[in-house]
């Protein structure tokens, strides 16, 4: 944790080479550190709550490969299960009992899910769920919220969160108007705006999709009554309610945000944690709706690697680990300590901040707030966030390189890790 010894020479060399052969030097935009300045560090290996870069620096990690690593990286039991699965082959392209096991676990856990289809990413899950919303209702329009991210499919690249928000990009070139004509948007936490859209488009809206707790515009929680209101409005209008729980599933609670808030959507998308660090996604919901999916029904959706035995194995083991008594109590305890500590230290140092946490998800905005939606989030001092990020990195704490991404803890994080993180924050926040 000594700033002067912080060297990233090898990372810089590798990243310089990467930029010549891959756009921006990365395989996914936010990784490039564009919004926080400096260069990304290049990882060598990860274990538990820690990551090590190619220069040998160690960091406490609060990104957790963007959500999946809720058990900590490379958990020994997940690795052991993967070794055993590997011996049986890496891909079947045919049914395996592993799919039944993970499907049962997901159905038991997530209140809205009676049947599930596995895919390979959260993006794929959201693309498929949109097709299903349209197929089931016979309507084309869909409502999404500003700052919410549902993957990079054309139809969702309208006022999207995550990398789109981080880089301040306009809606992406290459997306045809015809793909987004049917995408309506409203500010998060604004029921009146949703009601107005339904009134303006009678009988045309297939449904509403949202992050029940937002993690892709920074961390934003639903106001009291917002999720309930959406449930009522969609029902009144014969439209579907879809929770995109790719991030919140098995993180906000074992049964996701829908368990935590007691609101049951019609359909749900999952990803991240259910793949235990391997590429996975899933969508599921009411049996009558899911029965429309091919080959049970006419809505086509397929995948060469879907239900991949390694991804299923890592997911099963991860969910088993999460089922151990006390897991979510512990996640809440350490995340509260971290989040409350950061807010207090920042305020004591005279910064205007707001933020919070739910279970193993947290966020800190450099604005006095309150933050109810993406417009509020954009009032954050992103330059200051960049200095905070850099200072923490130099002191061995790896935060998401964007003001507009939530932070994640795992049950591998110890109280001592949180104490070290807060000590680093105290130093950094007194100097930026
Ligand atoms: C990460 C994420 C996605 C996209 O998942 P990928 O696996 O990156 O395609 C979709 N929705 C939400 C809420 C996410 O957090």
């Amino acid at each position: 944790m000594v700033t002067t010894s912080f060297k990233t020479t090898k990372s810089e060399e590798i990243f310089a080479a990467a930029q010549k052969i891959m756009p921006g030097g990365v395989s996914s935009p936010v990784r490039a550190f564009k919004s926080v300045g400096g260069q990304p560090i290049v990882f060598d290996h990860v274990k538990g709550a820690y990551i090590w870069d190619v220069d040998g620096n160690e960091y406490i990690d609060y990104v957790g490969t963007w959500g999946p690593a809720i058990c900590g990286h490379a958990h020994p039991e997940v690795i052991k299960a993967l070794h055993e699965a590997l011996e049986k082959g890496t891909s079947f392209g045919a049914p395996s009992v592993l799919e039944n096991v993970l499907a049962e676990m997901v159905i038991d856990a997530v209140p809205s899910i009676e049947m599930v289809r596995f895919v390979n990413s959260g993006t794929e899950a959201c693309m498929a769920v949109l097709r299903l919303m349209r197929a089931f209702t016979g309507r084309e329009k869909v409502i999404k919220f500003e700052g919410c991210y549902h993957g990079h499919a054309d139809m969702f690249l309208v006022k999207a969160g995550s990398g789109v928000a981080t880089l301040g990009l306009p809606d992406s070139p290459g997306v045809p108007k015809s793909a987004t004509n049917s995408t309506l948007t409203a500010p998060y936490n604004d029921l009146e705006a949703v009601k107005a859209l339904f009134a303006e488009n009678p009988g045309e809206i297939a449904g509403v999709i949202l992050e029940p707790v937002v993690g892709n515009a920074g961390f934003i929680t639903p106001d009291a009554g917002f999720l309930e209101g959406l449930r009522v409005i969609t029902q009144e209008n014969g439209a579907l309610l879809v929770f995109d729980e790719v991030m919140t599933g098995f993180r906000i609670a074992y049964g996701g945000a829908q368990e935590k808030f007691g609101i049951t959507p019609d359909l749900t998308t999952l990803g991240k944690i259910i793949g235990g660090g391997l590429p996975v996604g899933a969508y599921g919901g009411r049996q009558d709706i899911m029965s429309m999916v091919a080959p049970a029904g006419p809505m086509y959706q397929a995948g060469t690697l879907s239900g991949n035995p390694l991804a299923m194995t890592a997911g099963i083991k991860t969910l088993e680990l999460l089922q151990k008594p006390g897991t979510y109590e512990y996640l809440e305890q350490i995340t509260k300590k971290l989040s409350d500590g950061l807010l207090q230290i920042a305020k004591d140092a005279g910064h205007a901040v707001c933020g919070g946490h739910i279970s193993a998800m947290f966020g800190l905005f450099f604005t006095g707030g309150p933050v109810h939606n993406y417009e509020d989030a954009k009032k954050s001092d992103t330059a200051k966030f960049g200095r905070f990020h850099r200072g923490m990195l130099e002191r061995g704490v790896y935060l998401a390189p964007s003001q507009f991404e939530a932070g994640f803890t795992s049950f591998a994080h110890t109280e001592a890790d949180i104490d070290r993180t807060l000590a680093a924050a105290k130093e950094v926040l007194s100097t930026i």
Side-chain angles (χ1 to χ4, degrees), residues 121-124 126 149-151 211 216 244 246-247 272 280:
S121 69
T123 293
E124 251 191 83
C126 293
Y149 181 67
H150 305 295
E211 294 179 61
N216 286 294
D244 178 353
V246 171
M247 186 184 285
K272 298 190 171 127
V280 110

Side-chain angles (χ1 to χ4, degrees), residues 22 48 73 82 104 107 118 158 185 192 198-199 203 216 235 260 274 295 308 314 356 385 388 423 429:
M22 293 178 282
H73 292 288
L82 279 172
E104 293 278 7
I107 289 165
F118 293 111
V158 184
T185 60
E192 292 310 314
F198 272 105
N216 286 294
Q235 246 151 11
K260 166 93 188 161
I274 61 157
N308 176 269
F385 176 82
F388 175 61
L429 288 164

